[in-house]
Amino acid sequence: MNGNKVTFDDAEPYLNEARRTMVPVRFVSENLGAEVTWNASDGSVLISNSTQEILLYMNSRELIYNGERKKVDTDTVYSSIYQRNFVPLRFVSEFLGSKIDYTRASNGHFTIYLNKPQTEHSYISPELTEQKNVEASNPLTSLETIMPGASFEEVITLLGEPYRKEIHNLGYEWWIYNHSLSEYIQVAVSEGEVQELYTLSDQYMIHDVSVNDSFKRITEDFTMEPSINVEGHRVAYTMKNPVGEEVESYYARVDKHIVRFYFDLHEQRRLTGMRAMNEDTFVKTSPFGFTYSFYSDAQFMHEVEPLPLHRQNQLNRANERIMFDIMNVNRYKRNIGVLKLRQDISRVAYNHSKDMRNFAFFSHESAYSGYPWDRMKAAGLPTEVNENIARGFDDAINANAGLMNSEGHRKALLNPSLNEVGVGVSGSYYTQKFIR
């Protein structure tokens, strides 16, 4: 595979009666950068990466590829001897974008050559591996015209076309404006309207307040209410704001919107970011929880439809890219050189995040891959590495805010001698790996 010989540890491939090469589904899929999920209730197997989703049923020739039913010329098979699911090598690998070739020796033995798809894992777009910066051109721009409820045309009028678009955890579309690290902003759009926006740039204002303003200034302009109340159809929600000296963020009502203000506990609690949202987004994403009362015919606002697995994989990749952007904005604001992305290190980071999620642990030490330097060594990478991990955050914005307010993690994020990074996200698990 990609020029390297691979070994099947516990179940060997074989030729079936139709002369098709059958291989363990998990082995070939994971080596091609896909994830495999087995559903014990119906015996189905889901193979997915950032762009493809294949649903297989054992002992059947039918499969569902990206929602479309297809038929292949040989059955998938469950082996009771090996307790493994076997699939035809060619159709799975080609569905995942891989190229297959083979040679036959004089003794009749075949050697199969398999190349991983060039888009494998789609960690970070190539143009993002080297961050570029354009000097701020519109200092102190008011965001009033693109607050939640505004049309996408108003966003384009104020900010222009986005540099790229990403999936939002509620299925919205993030419009990312990262052409200038000093003017970084992202706007979530759905059905032609703004649903929320986020910036950590001091070039934008919401009601005359901008990033770097003091905690005192923010609390004077926007009262820090003990709770935020939202009325829906026959249902009422109450979310309690956090209290105390170590408040990292709180919500406030600003006109008809709700704004989350983020503060830096290590820089006199100055404002580091603003996130404006509508009530529906607020209820669905509040990290502080809420209580609610309702009537029998209530239309609940907090229920969220889970993303299909292939869309969740796209969200993982989106959070990796957004996390990388925000890490570099935070460094740029402090006159620290920006990080260069390493896709090979990102693979190691992603695999650790995936292991933590799949095996329900949270630690730098893994029973499956060892310590951070062991994981790097196994990938043939430098072993002098700093590793940050986080969990429980619904997106990269909140994960970065949490890491920046943790003294140990912050040291790695802002260390000028660390200049290359890998980022890996799996669900609510995040891994950052830094090297010199």
Side-chain angles (χ1 to χ4, degrees), residues 202-217:
D202 60 5
Q203 303 299 310
Y204 300 107
M205 298 184 300
I206 295 178
H207 275 245
D208 296 327
V209 166
S210 63
V211 167
N212 290 333
D213 281 348
S214 67
F215 183 83
K216 183 174 182 293
R217 164 80 189 281

Side-chain angles (χ1 to χ4, degrees), residues 239-242 249-251 260 262 275 277 281-290 392-394 398:
M239 186 223 71
K240 293 186 180 298
N241 259 318
S249 70
Y250 81 88
Y251 290 91
R260 186 176 183 182
Y262 296 82
R275 188 168 187 169
M277 63 197 72
T281 301
F282 165 71
V283 170
K284 285 179 168 61
T285 61
S286 169
F288 305 136
F290 49 78
F393 297 99
D394 63 342
N398 292 327

Side-chain angles (χ1 to χ4, degrees), residues 324-365:
F324 178 64
D325 279 340
I326 295 175
M327 291 163 68
N328 271 339
V329 172
N330 279 323
R331 289 170 71 98
Y332 175 81
K333 286 163 62 174
R334 294 165 177 83
N335 296 314
I336 301 171
V338 297
L339 295 160
K340 177 183 178 181
L341 180 80
R342 287 278 297 270
Q343 294 190 19
D344 48 359
I345 301 176
S346 291
R347 293 187 187 95
V348 179
Y350 169 71
N351 286 334
H352 186 56
S353 292
K354 184 174 70 170
D355 282 350
M356 290 192 292
R357 186 201 71 194
N358 287 346
F359 300 109
F361 72 97
F362 182 64
S363 173
H364 294 286
E365 182 183 4

Side-chain angles (χ1 to χ4, degrees), residues 180-230:
S180 166
L181 294 179
S182 62
E183 293 185 312
Y184 184 87
I185 186 171
Q186 49 189 87
V187 182
V189 176
S190 178
E191 297 181 353
E193 286 190 0
V194 175
Q195 307 297 318
E196 71 167 321
L197 61 83
Y198 168 75
T199 185
L200 64 166
S201 168
D202 60 5
Q203 303 299 310
Y204 300 107
M205 298 184 300
I206 295 178
H207 275 245
D208 296 327
V209 166
S210 63
V211 167
N212 290 333
D213 281 348
S214 67
F215 183 83
K216 183 174 182 293
R217 164 80 189 281
I218 304 303
T219 53
E220 286 176 349
D221 283 17
F222 303 105
T223 304
M224 189 173 177
E225 300 287 352
S227 62
I228 301 290
N229 300 307
V230 173

Side-chain angles (χ1 to χ4, degrees), residues 108-264:
H109 289 176
F110 287 89
T111 300
I112 298 175
Y113 300 90
L114 191 62
N115 291 312
K116 290 185 181 181
Q118 293 301 306
T119 56
E120 183 260 330
H121 199 286
S122 300
Y123 283 94
I124 310 282
S125 302
E127 66 267 18
L128 294 180
T129 59
E130 298 278 1
Q131 282 278 5
K132 297 180 180 180
N133 188 59
V134 179
E135 289 301 315
S137 56
N138 297 308
L140 299 180
T141 299
S142 172
L143 298 177
E144 300 304 316
T145 61
I146 62 167
M147 293 290 275
S151 70
F152 76 92
E153 290 96 345
E154 290 173 294
V155 178
I156 293 174
T157 297
L158 184 69
L159 302 175
E161 293 287 345
Y163 185 78
R164 71 177 194 275
K165 297 178 181 180
E166 301 283 13
I167 185 174
H168 183 287
N169 58 347
L170 295 181
Y172 308 155
E173 189 174 69
W174 275 122
W175 289 16
I176 307 296
Y177 293 87
N178 69 337
H179 62 288
S180 166
L181 294 179
S182 62
E183 293 185 312
Y184 184 87
I185 186 171
Q186 49 189 87
V187 182
V189 176
S190 178
E191 297 181 353
E193 286 190 0
V194 175
Q195 307 297 318
E196 71 167 321
L197 61 83
Y198 168 75
T199 185
L200 64 166
S201 168
D202 60 5
Q203 303 299 310
Y204 300 107
M205 298 184 300
I206 295 178
H207 275 245
D208 296 327
V209 166
S210 63
V211 167
N212 290 333
D213 281 348
S214 67
F215 183 83
K216 183 174 182 293
R217 164 80 189 281
I218 304 303
T219 53
E220 286 176 349
D221 283 17
F222 303 105
T223 304
M224 189 173 177
E225 300 287 352
S227 62
I228 301 290
N229 300 307
V230 173
E231 295 283 339
H233 179 76
R234 308 280 281 174
V235 60
Y237 295 89
T238 298
M239 186 223 71
K240 293 186 180 298
N241 259 318
V243 296
E245 291 298 316
E246 297 298 303
V247 170
E248 297 182 15
S249 70
Y250 81 88
Y251 290 91
R253 281 201 173 273
V254 181
D255 296 332
K256 60 182 179 180
H257 312 109
I258 297 173
V259 179
R260 186 176 183 182
F261 296 102
Y262 296 82
F263 302 98
D264 193 323

Side-chain angles (χ1 to χ4, degrees), residues 264-296:
D264 193 323
L265 301 183
H266 302 279
E267 293 181 357
Q268 294 85 45
R269 298 175 79 185
R270 290 194 170 277
L271 184 65
T272 59
M274 300 183 290
R275 188 168 187 169
M277 63 197 72
N278 56 31
E279 289 186 339
D280 188 64
T281 301
F282 165 71
V283 170
K284 285 179 168 61
T285 61
S286 169
F288 305 136
F290 49 78
T291 58
Y292 61 99
S293 57
F294 60 94
Y295 293 91
S296 60

